[in-house]
Amino acid sequence: MITHIELHNITAFEKLSAEFSPGLNVFIGENGTGKTHLMKFLYSTLAIADSKERKTIQQKLEENFLPDSIGRLVRRSRGRNSGRFVVVRSDEGVDRSLEVKITSLDKVSSPSSNWAVSSAERAVYIPVKDMLANAPGFTSLYNEHSIHFEGIYADIINKALYSPARGPRDSIQKELLELIETEISGTIAVEGEEFYLRATDGSGNLEFTLLAEGYRKLGLLFCLIQNKMLTKGSILFWDEPEANLNPKMMELVARILYKLTKLGVQVFISTHNSMLTSQIKRWEETAPTRYHLFKKNDTGSVDYSSYEHLEEVVANPIQEAYEALLLKQIEEELNL
């Protein structure tokens, strides 16, 4: 479980210190306030938490951000500069930390620590763009050739391709799979590297390229729960869950998020959708929840604050944007 992060002079952040909920963490902010960057930093550190992983933190950051050079992750300023970030996680009651220093001259250092262990938490990053429809041949292409895709895309395909886990499923896993199966009217089948929706009415398999992208996203969750990539001790990063989903499905997404926390998954999401946050609000008393607000200040850096309840969020940019659009529409209609 990730408990804390500090960033200094890294991408959009001049200075940030954040504590995380063991349950659901909701990142709120306008575009360009670093929400996705923060999740990628966290995900990249977890990718090297397994002692069997041979890639360095520099390699994982380069894979997941694709900067022209690693020094580009340092916050822009005149002259030479440097930045650093520190991530803290709790591993069975033991606090572990990883500090990474980066200079604008492309030097990266990470002092030795107790970060890597033999059985690290399993981390999953779901990007905004669906990748399962593009899975056939992608992994071999990515591994053997230099193609301009962030590592998170290859990672999520590989994790989805794992076969279903053996053994009985607990009640929460069953509930999650049944929720998704009911919504998409089927289960997910994998043949080779091709994903299919197997219809519950017996009408056969529908290839993912012909399936609505919103259903593909739910199908991905089905795979990750079925193969136990999302299970007790896992950490999920989900960038804009609302993308390509009908608004009426926001209630389902909120239910899934909280059932995952009940399963023992720590969840991080970023969102621009007020309907999703309003549905999350309905569930926030059932599990530890923290809303993280990111807002640009006059210097171009990002101010940060956090809240345990949605109604406490001061100057919620999502709500302000919807209210401004609504007022504009009312004014236009009154002037007709």
Side-chain angles (χ1 to χ4, degrees), residues 165-230:
R166 292 182 178 178
R169 301 187 179 97
D170 66 26
S171 59
I172 301 175
Q173 290 170 329
K174 290 179 181 178
E175 287 178 30
L176 282 163
L177 293 174
E178 289 171 1
L179 273 174
I180 297 171
E181 181 179 350
T182 299
E183 182 62 36
I184 65 177
S185 300
T187 60
I188 305 303
V190 183
E191 297 180 12
E193 294 183 341
E194 187 88 35
F195 291 86
Y196 295 89
L197 174 69
R198 179 172 291 164
T200 52
D201 63 6
S203 59
N205 292 349
L206 180 67
E207 51 266 55
F208 259 46
T209 51
L210 300 179
L211 189 64
E213 190 159 345
Y215 282 178
R216 295 181 209 166
K217 184 169 287 189
L218 294 177
L220 169 59
L221 281 177
F222 188 96
C223 292
L224 297 172
I225 296 165
Q226 184 173 242
N227 64 24
K228 293 190 177 180
M229 285 291 157
L230 291 177

Side-chain angles (χ1 to χ4, degrees), residues 7-14 34 37-38 41 65 72-76:
L7 298 99
H8 299 268
N9 287 328
I10 293 291
T11 61
F13 304 104
E14 183 176 2
H37 281 188
L38 189 56
F41 280 119
F65 283 91
R72 297 283 290 169
L73 296 182
V74 178
R75 188 166 183 265
R76 294 187 184 186

